[in-house]
Amino acid sequence: MNHDAVNGERTEGARGDGRSRLPVAAVAVPVLTCLATLGTLTLWTATGNAGTPARLSVTEGRALLLAAQGGRTEATAAFFTVRNSGGADDVLTGVTGPAGHRVMLSRTVDIGRNARRMAMVRSATVPAGGALRMTPTTLDLMLSPAPALAPGDRLTFTLHFRNSPPLTARAVATRPGPALETRAGAAAMP
């Protein structure tokens, strides 16, 4: 039985069982809206517009051999190119290196009058369909203390990302100079 709000009388529902029937429009509108949204999302995904997750790879890198008085330097740098062939950005959030060495992401920042300084950064984006290129004048990995290296020695690093599994990469020890910039640039080219 339903209660009539106007005169307080109880009446039987349309079915005669005490329940009232919902209007068809009250049910049809949400159902049709859901079906239209689902159809649109299905079409969007089927045409490839939904994207794909990040698919990362890393090239062999370079580690600088820095000359120092007394035979030991405080730090050295390593450079890699991280490629993303997927449809979504990912973020490099950290790097681990050889035991006993601290690895930090750093960026070269112009401070004016042809001067630059190093600034530590927490992360770096690896763009979808692009690459994160590390060079001596952009983003690099600072390794402290610098390990004793000879040309051709290799160091192993593990790069950690926000959404992708870690990648292990090796860097070959190289003397700094114009050749390093050229090799880093050549390795970074698609």
Side-chain angles (χ1 to χ4, degrees):
M1 300 262 273
N2 289 332
H3 187 268
D4 189 334
V6 175
N7 59 19
E9 295 178 14
R10 292 189 179 264
T11 58
E12 289 293 318
R15 293 182 182 170
D17 60 2
R19 294 182 292 165
S20 63
R21 176 177 279 179
L22 287 174
V24 172
V27 174
V29 171
V31 168
L32 291 175
T33 301
C34 288
L35 289 174
T37 302
L38 182 60
T40 303
L41 288 173
T42 301
L43 180 63
W44 184 60
T45 302
T47 58
N49 293 319
T52 59
R55 277 183 259 158
L56 305 178
S57 63
V58 63
T59 62
E60 180 175 270
R62 305 277 182 225
L64 287 181
L65 286 171
L66 300 174
Q69 294 176 344
R72 189 104 173 138
T73 58
E74 280 186 38
T76 191
F79 315 96
F80 294 95
T81 296
V82 182
R83 297 189 189 288
N84 182 353
S85 62
D89 292 352
D90 206 342
V91 178
L92 176 64
T93 58
V95 180
T96 53
H101 300 277
R102 191 171 122 187
V103 182
M104 302 159 283
L105 284 170
S106 69
R107 184 174 300 282
T108 302
V109 179
D110 287 323
I111 57 173
R113 296 187 181 145
N114 291 329
R116 295 180 179 167
R117 69 175 175 83
M118 179 179 62
M120 295 303 145
V121 295
R122 299 184 112 175
S123 62
T125 299
V126 185
L132 170 63
R133 294 175 177 90
M134 298 180 197
T135 70
T137 58
T138 59
L139 184 74
D140 60 48
L141 304 177
M142 290 303 301
L143 183 62
S144 177
L149 296 171
D153 286 352
R154 296 181 189 281
L155 297 171
T156 301
F157 294 86
T158 302
L159 287 69
H160 302 273
F161 301 92
R162 181 173 294 151
N163 300 312
S164 298
L167 293 176
T168 299
R170 297 183 59 119
V172 64
T174 307
R175 295 197 187 283
L180 176 67
E181 190 69 41
T182 301
R183 281 193 300 264
M189 301 306 272

